[in-house]
Tab-separated table of all heavy atoms in Angstrom:
chain	number	residue	atom	x	y	z
A	1	TRP	N	167.962	120.298	85.238
A	1	TRP	CA	169.014	120.386	84.233
A	1	TRP	C	168.506	121.212	83.054
A	1	TRP	O	167.304	121.431	82.914
A	1	TRP	CB	169.411	118.990	83.752
A	1	TRP	CG	170.046	118.137	84.810
A	1	TRP	CD1	169.447	117.174	85.553
A	1	TRP	CD2	171.412	118.194	85.249
A	1	TRP	NE1	170.335	116.623	86.437
A	1	TRP	CE2	171.562	117.221	86.266
A	1	TRP	CE3	172.524	118.946	84.873
A	1	TRP	CZ2	172.766	116.981	86.909
A	1	TRP	CZ3	173.731	118.713	85.519
A	1	TRP	CH2	173.854	117.749	86.520
A	2	SER	N	169.408	121.626	82.222
A	2	SER	CA	169.054	122.481	81.081
A	2	SER	C	168.119	121.813	80.074
A	2	SER	O	167.464	122.487	79.288
A	2	SER	CB	170.325	122.960	80.359
A	2	SER	OG	171.211	121.878	80.131
A	3	ASP	N	168.053	120.469	80.097
A	3	ASP	CA	167.123	119.780	79.193
A	3	ASP	C	165.776	119.525	79.845
A	3	ASP	O	164.926	118.819	79.300
A	3	ASP	CB	167.726	118.471	78.680
A	3	ASP	CG	167.996	117.469	79.810
A	3	ASP	OD1	167.845	117.851	80.987
A	3	ASP	OD2	168.360	116.323	79.494
A	4	GLY	N	165.577	120.097	81.047
A	4	GLY	CA	164.295	119.976	81.727
A	4	GLY	C	164.204	118.837	82.722
A	4	GLY	O	163.248	118.762	83.498
A	5	ASN	N	165.172	117.940	82.729
A	5	ASN	CA	165.154	116.807	83.657
A	5	ASN	C	165.330	117.304	85.091
A	5	ASN	O	166.183	118.146	85.366
A	5	ASN	CB	166.267	115.823	83.282
A	5	ASN	CG	166.185	114.534	84.066
A	5	ASN	OD1	166.412	114.513	85.262
A	5	ASN	ND2	165.867	113.444	83.373
A	6	THR	N	164.525	116.739	86.002
A	6	THR	CA	164.540	117.226	87.387
A	6	THR	C	165.185	116.248	88.374
A	6	THR	O	165.041	116.392	89.586
A	6	THR	CB	163.109	117.532	87.856
A	6	THR	OG1	162.297	116.356	87.683
A	6	THR	CG2	162.514	118.681	87.060
A	7	ASN	N	165.898	115.255	87.852
A	7	ASN	CA	166.620	114.318	88.713
A	7	ASN	C	168.043	114.819	88.924
A	7	ASN	O	168.812	114.940	87.962
A	7	ASN	CB	166.646	112.926	88.099
A	7	ASN	CG	165.259	112.322	87.977
A	7	ASN	OD1	164.504	112.290	88.945
A	7	ASN	ND2	164.913	111.848	86.794
A	8	ALA	N	168.395	115.093	90.166
A	8	ALA	CA	169.726	115.633	90.461
A	8	ALA	C	170.824	114.659	90.043
A	8	ALA	O	171.872	115.057	89.530
A	8	ALA	CB	169.843	115.956	91.942
A	9	SER	N	170.580	113.364	90.239
A	9	SER	CA	171.528	112.333	89.805
A	9	SER	C	170.835	111.512	88.733
A	9	SER	O	169.738	110.976	88.948
A	9	SER	CB	171.929	111.438	90.981
A	9	SER	OG	172.847	110.449	90.564
A	10	ARG	N	171.476	111.404	87.579
A	10	ARG	CA	170.830	110.719	86.460
A	10	ARG	C	171.877	110.083	85.556
A	10	ARG	O	173.059	110.425	85.607
A	10	ARG	CB	170.003	111.715	85.656
A	10	ARG	CG	170.836	112.856	85.107
A	10	ARG	CD	170.013	113.928	84.446
A	10	ARG	NE	169.530	113.527	83.139
A	10	ARG	CZ	169.269	114.388	82.140
A	10	ARG	NH1	169.425	115.697	82.337
A	10	ARG	NH2	168.833	113.967	81.001
A	11	THR	N	171.435	109.168	84.714
A	11	THR	CA	172.319	108.518	83.745
A	11	THR	C	171.960	108.987	82.351
A	11	THR	O	170.774	108.986	81.975
A	11	THR	CB	172.200	106.986	83.835
A	11	THR	OG1	172.583	106.561	85.146
A	11	THR	CG2	173.104	106.315	82.811
A	12	VAL	N	172.966	109.395	81.591
A	12	VAL	CA	172.744	109.831	80.211
A	12	VAL	C	173.545	108.941	79.274
A	12	VAL	O	174.611	108.435	79.631
A	12	VAL	CB	173.139	111.311	80.007
A	12	VAL	CG1	172.260	112.225	80.838
A	12	VAL	CG2	174.614	111.546	80.331
A	13	THR	N	173.029	108.729	78.064
A	13	THR	CA	173.717	107.930	77.050
A	13	THR	C	174.406	108.872	76.069
A	13	THR	O	173.779	109.786	75.528
A	13	THR	CB	172.728	107.028	76.300
A	13	THR	OG1	172.087	106.153	77.238
A	13	THR	CG2	173.449	106.175	75.252
A	14	VAL	N	175.682	108.658	75.850
A	14	VAL	CA	176.482	109.554	75.006
A	14	VAL	C	176.327	109.171	73.538
A	14	VAL	O	176.758	108.097	73.112
A	14	VAL	CB	177.967	109.494	75.405
A	14	VAL	CG1	178.792	110.401	74.508
A	14	VAL	CG2	178.140	109.875	76.865
A	15	THR	N	175.699	110.059	72.756
A	15	THR	CA	175.562	109.838	71.312
A	15	THR	C	176.130	111.012	70.514
A	15	THR	O	176.242	110.935	69.292
A	15	THR	CB	174.092	109.641	70.920
A	15	THR	OG1	173.328	110.779	71.338
A	15	THR	CG2	173.518	108.387	71.575
A	16	LYS	N	176.471	112.088	71.214
A	16	LYS	CA	177.051	113.268	70.576
A	16	LYS	C	177.587	114.179	71.673
A	16	LYS	O	177.352	113.932	72.870
A	16	LYS	CB	176.007	114.009	69.742
A	16	LYS	CG	174.818	114.503	70.557
A	16	LYS	CD	173.794	115.191	69.688
A	16	LYS	CE	172.601	115.674	70.525
A	16	LYS	NZ	171.586	116.354	69.680
A	17	ALA	N	178.291	115.221	71.270
A	17	ALA	CA	178.751	116.207	72.259
A	17	ALA	C	177.521	116.890	72.863
A	17	ALA	O	176.563	117.219	72.151
A	17	ALA	CB	179.655	117.232	71.594
A	18	ALA	N	177.537	117.075	74.173
A	18	ALA	CA	176.373	117.668	74.836
A	18	ALA	C	176.793	118.436	76.078
A	18	ALA	O	177.833	118.145	76.680
A	18	ALA	CB	175.370	116.584	75.210
A	19	THR	N	175.961	119.402	76.436
A	19	THR	CA	176.186	120.201	77.643
A	19	THR	C	174.957	120.102	78.540
A	19	THR	O	173.823	120.275	78.068
A	19	THR	CB	176.459	121.673	77.300
A	19	THR	OG1	177.645	121.765	76.507
A	19	THR	CG2	176.634	122.505	78.558
A	20	TYR	N	175.190	119.808	79.805
A	20	TYR	CA	174.111	119.752	80.796
A	20	TYR	C	174.434	120.762	81.896
A	20	TYR	O	175.471	120.663	82.540
A	20	TYR	CB	174.002	118.348	81.399
A	20	TYR	CG	173.604	117.299	80.388
A	20	TYR	CD1	174.566	116.591	79.676
A	20	TYR	CD2	172.259	117.021	80.128
A	20	TYR	CE1	174.206	115.631	78.739
A	20	TYR	CE2	171.891	116.070	79.198
A	20	TYR	CZ	172.871	115.378	78.506
A	20	TYR	OH	172.514	114.423	77.576
A	21	THR	N	173.540	121.728	82.053
A	21	THR	CA	173.738	122.777	83.056
A	21	THR	C	172.710	122.606	84.169
A	21	THR	O	171.502	122.518	83.907
A	21	THR	CB	173.593	124.174	82.436
A	21	THR	OG1	174.553	124.317	81.376
A	21	THR	CG2	173.822	125.270	83.469
A	22	ALA	N	173.200	122.554	85.408
A	22	ALA	CA	172.321	122.390	86.572
A	22	ALA	C	171.933	123.752	87.138
A	22	ALA	O	172.788	124.613	87.339
A	22	ALA	CB	173.016	121.561	87.643
A	23	THR	N	170.642	123.909	87.357
A	23	THR	CA	170.130	125.135	87.975
A	23	THR	C	169.779	124.852	89.435
A	23	THR	O	169.155	123.835	89.742
A	23	THR	CB	168.880	125.636	87.236
A	23	THR	OG1	169.210	125.881	85.866
A	23	THR	CG2	168.364	126.931	87.857
A	24	PHE	N	170.196	125.774	90.301
A	24	PHE	CA	169.895	125.674	91.735
A	24	PHE	C	169.083	126.899	92.159
A	24	PHE	O	169.030	127.902	91.444
A	24	PHE	CB	171.184	125.610	92.557
A	24	PHE	CG	172.065	124.438	92.225
A	24	PHE	CD1	173.059	124.554	91.257
A	24	PHE	CD2	171.898	123.226	92.872
A	24	PHE	CE1	173.879	123.475	90.949
A	24	PHE	CE2	172.717	122.141	92.570
A	24	PHE	CZ	173.714	122.263	91.595
A	25	ALA	N	168.478	126.804	93.315
A	25	ALA	CA	167.741	127.956	93.861
A	25	ALA	C	167.908	127.959	95.375
A	25	ALA	O	168.177	126.914	95.992
A	25	ALA	CB	166.266	127.894	93.482
A	26	ILE	N	167.739	129.126	95.961
A	26	ILE	CA	167.861	129.240	97.414
A	26	ILE	C	166.648	128.610	98.092
A	26	ILE	O	165.536	128.623	97.544
A	26	ILE	CB	168.020	130.726	97.832
A	26	ILE	CG1	168.520	130.834	99.273
A	26	ILE	CG2	166.724	131.505	97.615
A	26	ILE	CD1	168.998	132.226	99.648
A	27	ASP	N	166.861	128.017	99.256
A	27	ASP	CA	165.747	127.441	100.012
A	27	ASP	C	164.837	128.553	100.514
A	27	ASP	O	165.286	129.665	100.819
A	27	ASP	CB	166.267	126.643	101.218
A	27	ASP	CG	166.993	125.375	100.798
A	27	ASP	OD1	166.839	124.946	99.634
A	27	ASP	OD2	167.729	124.819	101.651
A	28	THR	N	163.554	128.242	100.593
A	28	THR	CA	162.580	129.195	101.149
A	28	THR	C	161.891	128.554	102.351
A	28	THR	O	161.759	127.317	102.415
A	28	THR	CB	161.524	129.601	100.106
A	28	THR	OG1	160.840	128.423	99.643
A	28	THR	CG2	162.159	130.336	98.940
A	29	HIS	N	161.473	129.406	103.285
A	29	HIS	CA	160.828	128.910	104.498
A	29	HIS	C	159.613	129.776	104.822
A	29	HIS	O	159.586	130.976	104.518
A	29	HIS	CB	161.805	128.949	105.684
A	29	HIS	CG	163.031	128.100	105.436
A	29	HIS	ND1	163.036	126.746	105.559
A	29	HIS	CD2	164.295	128.455	105.062
A	29	HIS	CE1	164.238	126.274	105.270
A	29	HIS	NE2	165.029	127.302	104.977
A	30	VAL	N	158.637	129.145	105.452
A	30	VAL	CA	157.413	129.857	105.834
A	30	VAL	C	157.600	130.446	107.233
A	30	VAL	O	157.972	129.729	108.174
A	30	VAL	CB	156.190	128.923	105.829
A	30	VAL	CG1	154.951	129.663	106.364
A	30	VAL	CG2	155.952	128.387	104.439
A	31	LEU	N	157.378	131.743	107.315
A	31	LEU	CA	157.442	132.437	108.607
A	31	LEU	C	155.997	132.751	109.007
A	31	LEU	O	155.315	133.546	108.344
A	31	LEU	CB	158.257	133.732	108.478
A	31	LEU	CG	158.604	134.444	109.778
A	31	LEU	CD1	159.527	133.585	110.640
A	31	LEU	CD2	159.269	135.772	109.475
A	32	THR	N	155.527	132.101	110.087
A	32	THR	CA	154.138	132.291	110.530
A	32	THR	C	154.124	133.239	111.727
A	32	THR	O	154.821	133.008	112.731
A	32	THR	CB	153.511	130.939	110.925
A	32	THR	OG1	153.606	130.041	109.800
A	32	THR	CG2	152.053	131.119	111.326
A	33	VAL	N	153.378	134.306	111.595
A	33	VAL	CA	153.272	135.303	112.670
A	33	VAL	C	151.805	135.380	113.088
A	33	VAL	O	150.932	135.663	112.263
A	33	VAL	CB	153.763	136.688	112.195
A	33	VAL	CG1	153.739	137.682	113.363
A	33	VAL	CG2	155.173	136.573	111.633
A	34	THR	N	151.520	135.101	114.375
A	34	THR	CA	150.120	135.076	114.832
A	34	THR	C	149.929	135.911	116.099
A	34	THR	O	150.892	136.185	116.830
A	34	THR	CB	149.658	133.631	115.127
A	34	THR	OG1	150.448	133.099	116.196
A	34	THR	CG2	149.790	132.748	113.896
A	35	SER	N	148.723	136.251	116.328
A	35	SER	CA	148.341	136.970	117.560
A	35	SER	C	147.670	135.969	118.490
A	35	SER	O	146.810	135.201	118.053
A	35	SER	CB	147.356	138.098	117.226
A	35	SER	OG	146.775	138.622	118.416
A	36	ALA	N	148.070	135.988	119.759
A	36	ALA	CA	147.452	135.075	120.729
A	36	ALA	C	145.986	135.435	120.951
A	36	ALA	O	145.174	134.577	121.330
A	36	ALA	CB	148.212	135.118	122.045
A	37	ASN	N	145.676	136.715	120.670
A	37	ASN	CA	144.291	137.145	120.849
A	37	ASN	C	144.046	138.314	119.910
A	37	ASN	O	144.506	139.439	120.160
A	37	ASN	CB	144.037	137.564	122.305
A	37	ASN	CG	142.556	137.825	122.569
A	37	ASN	OD1	141.832	138.320	121.709
A	37	ASN	ND2	142.121	137.534	123.800
A	38	THR	N	143.375	138.035	118.834
A	38	THR	CA	143.166	139.067	117.811
A	38	THR	C	142.246	140.192	118.306
A	38	THR	O	142.189	141.251	117.700
A	38	THR	CB	142.568	138.443	116.531
A	38	THR	OG1	141.367	137.731	116.881
A	38	THR	CG2	143.568	137.503	115.888
A	39	THR	N	141.541	139.929	119.414
A	39	THR	CA	140.704	140.991	119.990
A	39	THR	C	141.593	142.058	120.619
A	39	THR	O	141.256	143.244	120.661
A	39	THR	CB	139.740	140.398	121.033
A	39	THR	OG1	138.914	139.425	120.404
A	39	THR	CG2	138.867	141.463	121.662
A	40	MET	N	142.730	141.617	121.080
A	40	MET	CA	143.637	142.528	121.772
A	40	MET	C	144.648	143.193	120.820
A	40	MET	O	145.154	144.280	121.093
A	40	MET	CB	144.401	141.762	122.854
A	40	MET	CG	143.517	141.227	123.954
A	40	MET	SD	144.525	140.393	125.202
A	40	MET	CE	143.283	139.973	126.422
A	41	GLY	N	144.980	142.503	119.701
A	41	GLY	CA	145.976	143.091	118.797
A	41	GLY	C	146.201	142.243	117.557
A	41	GLY	O	145.833	141.069	117.497
A	42	THR	N	146.828	142.869	116.567
A	42	THR	CA	147.110	142.183	115.298
A	42	THR	C	148.613	142.161	115.036
A	42	THR	O	149.385	142.896	115.657
A	42	THR	CB	146.397	142.893	114.131
A	42	THR	OG1	146.852	144.246	114.085
A	42	THR	CG2	144.883	142.859	114.317
A	43	VAL	N	148.974	141.311	114.050
A	43	VAL	CA	150.395	141.168	113.695
A	43	VAL	C	150.556	141.197	112.176
A	43	VAL	O	149.632	140.866	111.423
A	43	VAL	CB	150.978	139.847	114.250
A	43	VAL	CG1	151.020	139.878	115.770
A	43	VAL	CG2	150.186	138.646	113.750
A	44	THR	N	151.760	141.567	111.744
A	44	THR	CA	152.099	141.534	110.307
A	44	THR	C	153.528	141.012	110.150
A	44	THR	O	154.314	141.033	111.090
A	44	THR	CB	152.009	142.938	109.675
A	44	THR	OG1	152.917	143.820	110.358
A	44	THR	CG2	150.594	143.485	109.744
């Protein structure tokens, strides 16, 4: 959230007018590329 809180669902106490903005990001995944035999060839 814009106040730094990292709980997606949270309880806030209302004491004044306030704005809470949620930031999202795209998921990332690890792509592992290997050679069965590095003597024979390499990968990138």
